[in-house]
Amino acid sequence: MRRWTGLHPYNAGQIMEVSGPPDRERWKAAVEAVLGEMGLGAPRFSAHDRLVHFVPCDDLPIEQSEQSLVDFFNEELNRPFAAGDVPIRFCTLPATQGGDSHCLAAVYDHWIADSRAMRELMQRVFERYQHPEQPSQRAPLTLHAPAFTPLFRRHVGRFTRLAAVRESVRNVYRQRHGFRVNIADPLDFTSRFQIFRLPDGLIDNVYRFAKSQVGSVNDAFLAILGQTMGAYTLHERTTRKRKFFHFKRQQIGLGTIVDIRDASAEPLDRVFNLYLSSYVVLLANAERRTAGDLTREISAHTAKLKKSFATVKGFWALAMARFWWDLHNSNRYRSQLLHKTVPVVAGISNVNMTHSWADPADENSDAAAPRILDYLRISPTGPLLPLVFTLTTLRNRLTLCVTYRTTSFTDEQAGKLAQDFTQRLSCLTP
């Protein structure tokens, strides 16, 4: 991800909608306390970006904007972090749907942390904002991360360089029939964002459907996204001329971001870092198949991945990608490296926050204190994914945030894809 920022900002977002008007000084005190106790400041890199230490900052501003959430993030996704900046920016915004509430948005340079680490940080910030008079009851996050490879050695083996080559070759071969979305300008990584509130209670129906197919909610999401992207790409997939000695690319590749902390040899709950991998499902004729059929196929595939810890092993393919990235100085080559070798038409990031700290069971115990009304996450695109569907569930509400590269999708096209996805989800029957 640090390499990717050389081509374009690779920023992600976390948003809390909080009851009551914003108190910026109170937010500032909460943010400074949390970041101060963990030692997060301006980064200083060494060893070719393999090591980082942080210089503490005395003043961490909380920006204020009257923009809508969509307009704000359409700028922030493309706004770089300057050298010496703390890699997280905080800003208060108007409530997403009006009323006596507001949003606190955290925009972060994605190399600094994954979504799970950021949610741990946001929890600590909110608790200090909610009860500034009380000492924190939660242990601080730490930037002191244990050496990465030993954490997952038992799943990968001793020869990690061999694993990197093996997993890389396996990915390239497996995705040899994966369809490539057209990218008009490979060096244009401009991204935009749209948000969609799905009908209340829809997530409960999706859950029942997934269980009836012996799958997970994420399996069902992938099945519906496969139908949506299959229908969208059908004409191009069936009419695009294939070059001689090239594979026929008819399959729809869909990526899923995976948190691999639970596979670690030691607990990582308090470590503020990034422990992400991914997997790709490849679907044939997705637009012609039923949601149940696709969900069962995907469920069988993901069950094998979980049993074999394949996502942990697959992480090492990124080490091979970094090797080829560093070997070539051409930004054009770098911008197409992943798209040409492991093409993915869209990705999903899915998190359920129901019954978490954002959804406390005793939220009525202190009616005067601020409370969480909603929570959203926004994912970046980058050189791997031209389109990302980020789904967040809180109570009975499902929110979809769609991020897309403008060189591949127009605002209208992205909106229609989201509407098609929502409509298909609404038609699921257990």
Side-chain angles (χ1 to χ4, degrees):
M1 291 182 181
R2 277 287 299 166
R3 303 292 198 274
W4 289 355
T5 57
L7 298 177
H8 187 270
Y10 195 68
N11 300 342
Q14 305 267 329
I15 306 102
M16 294 185 288
E17 185 168 346
V18 179
S19 62
D23 186 334
R24 288 175 62 206
E25 288 304 313
R26 189 166 160 181
W27 278 124
K28 179 179 172 64
V31 168
E32 289 182 341
V34 172
L35 269 62
E37 67 184 7
M38 63 189 286
L40 182 62
R44 297 290 185 269
F45 298 94
S46 58
H48 302 289
D49 281 3
R50 293 175 184 268
L51 296 175
V52 61
H53 71 277
F54 297 90
V55 178
C57 295
D58 297 329
D59 183 50
L60 292 167
I62 305 296
E63 300 175 6
Q64 182 177 13
S65 174
E66 296 305 318
Q67 292 178 293
S68 69
L69 193 62
V70 172
D71 291 339
F72 175 77
F73 268 95
N74 279 337
E75 293 181 2
E76 289 297 317
L77 286 170
N78 303 289
R79 178 186 168 194
F81 284 84
D85 283 355
V86 176
I88 309 176
R89 293 190 289 255
F90 293 90
C91 183
T92 60
L93 296 158
T96 56
Q97 297 182 359
D100 184 25
S101 60
H102 68 283
C103 291
L104 179 76
V107 182
Y108 57 106
D109 206 342
H110 208 340
W111 66 264
I112 185 65
D114 53 32
S115 178
R116 180 167 165 179
M118 280 298 300
R119 295 196 303 276
E120 290 284 342
L121 183 143
M122 296 292 273
Q123 178 182 12
R124 287 161 172 77
V125 169
F126 173 71
E127 288 177 349
R128 287 180 180 270
Y129 179 81
Q130 186 180 40
H131 296 292
E133 72 286 353
Q134 298 180 7
S136 176
Q137 302 298 313
R138 198 168 301 281
L141 296 173
T142 178
L143 294 168
H144 298 289
F148 190 90
T149 300
L151 290 175
F152 304 98
R153 176 85 71 187
R154 59 181 173 173
H155 304 306
V156 183
R158 300 204 60 81
F159 304 104
T160 53
R161 291 185 179 180
L162 180 60
V165 174
R166 182 189 65 237
E167 295 300 325
S168 181
V169 171
R170 178 179 294 171
N171 282 346
V172 173
Y173 181 75
R174 183 168 174 267
Q175 291 175 237
R176 65 194 184 280
H177 295 298
F179 177 74
R180 295 191 187 114
V181 170
N182 182 52
I183 296 179
D185 182 357
L187 291 172
D188 182 0
F189 288 94
T190 304
S191 297
R192 287 180 63 80
F193 150 77
Q194 295 183 39
I195 182 172
F196 301 88
R197 306 281 188 177
L198 279 64
D200 288 353
L202 175 60
I203 185 60
D204 297 326
N205 192 57
V206 176
Y207 175 81
R208 290 192 294 270
F209 168 81
K211 293 307 173 187
S212 71
Q213 305 301 319
V214 198
S216 68
V217 168
N218 198 72
D219 294 334
F221 285 151
L222 284 170
I224 298 303
L225 185 58
Q227 290 181 325
T228 294
M229 296 309 298
Y232 176 77
T233 61
L234 178 61
H235 176 74
E236 192 172 2
R237 282 189 290 121
T238 54
T239 59
R240 181 184 292 179
K241 291 184 179 180
R242 179 169 62 94
K243 297 179 181 179
F244 287 113
F245 305 111
H246 282 238
F247 292 110
K248 194 174 184 179
R249 295 187 172 274
Q250 292 285 317
Q251 295 177 334
I252 295 296
L254 303 173
T256 297
I257 307 302
V258 180
D259 179 357
I260 59 173
R261 276 180 174 79
D262 292 339
S264 169
E266 61 182 86
L268 298 170
D269 292 337
R270 289 182 48 236
V271 178
F272 190 76
N273 207 311
L274 192 145
Y275 297 97
L276 292 182
S277 187
S278 63
Y279 64 84
V280 174
V281 296
L282 291 155
L283 304 175
N285 302 313
E287 68 283 352
R288 301 175 187 172
R289 299 165 60 187
T290 66
D293 182 25
L294 289 169
T295 302
R296 289 190 295 272
E297 177 184 326
I298 293 168
S299 175
H301 177 67
T302 55
K304 292 178 182 178
L305 295 178
K306 294 172 185 176
K307 186 176 182 179
S308 64
F309 292 94
T311 54
V312 179
K313 299 172 185 175
F315 174 88
W316 266 262
L318 288 173
M320 201 67 203
R322 186 181 62 193
F323 168 81
W324 290 112
W325 183 286
D326 291 344
L327 194 64
H328 291 80
N329 293 323
S330 167
N331 280 342
R332 190 171 188 85
Y333 168 86
R334 291 171 170 176
S335 69
Q336 299 181 87
L337 172 63
L338 296 172
H339 179 67
K340 282 188 174 294
T341 55
V342 286
V344 179
V345 300
I348 273 186
S349 174
N350 172 40
V351 167
N352 182 5
M353 298 192 67
T354 304
H355 304 310
S356 71
W357 61 271
D359 179 31
D362 59 344
E363 63 178 352
N364 295 322
S365 60
D366 187 355
R371 65 186 189 279
I372 300 284
L373 302 179
D374 203 359
Y375 199 100
L376 293 84
R377 302 173 305 115
I378 300 172
S379 303
T381 52
L384 178 59
L385 297 169
L387 174 72
V388 186
F389 279 42
T390 306
L391 295 134
T392 308
T393 302
L394 183 61
R395 306 181 188 97
N396 70 336
R397 172 182 289 179
L398 177 62
T399 304
L400 168 62
C401 294
V402 180
T403 319
Y404 49 97
R405 289 179 63 177
T406 57
T407 192
S408 297
F409 300 93
T410 65
D411 293 346
E412 182 181 7
Q413 288 170 333
K416 286 182 177 179
L417 287 171
Q419 291 169 8
D420 183 82
F421 178 83
T422 302
Q423 178 62 32
R424 293 176 187 271
L425 273 184
S426 301
C427 293
L428 292 178
T429 54

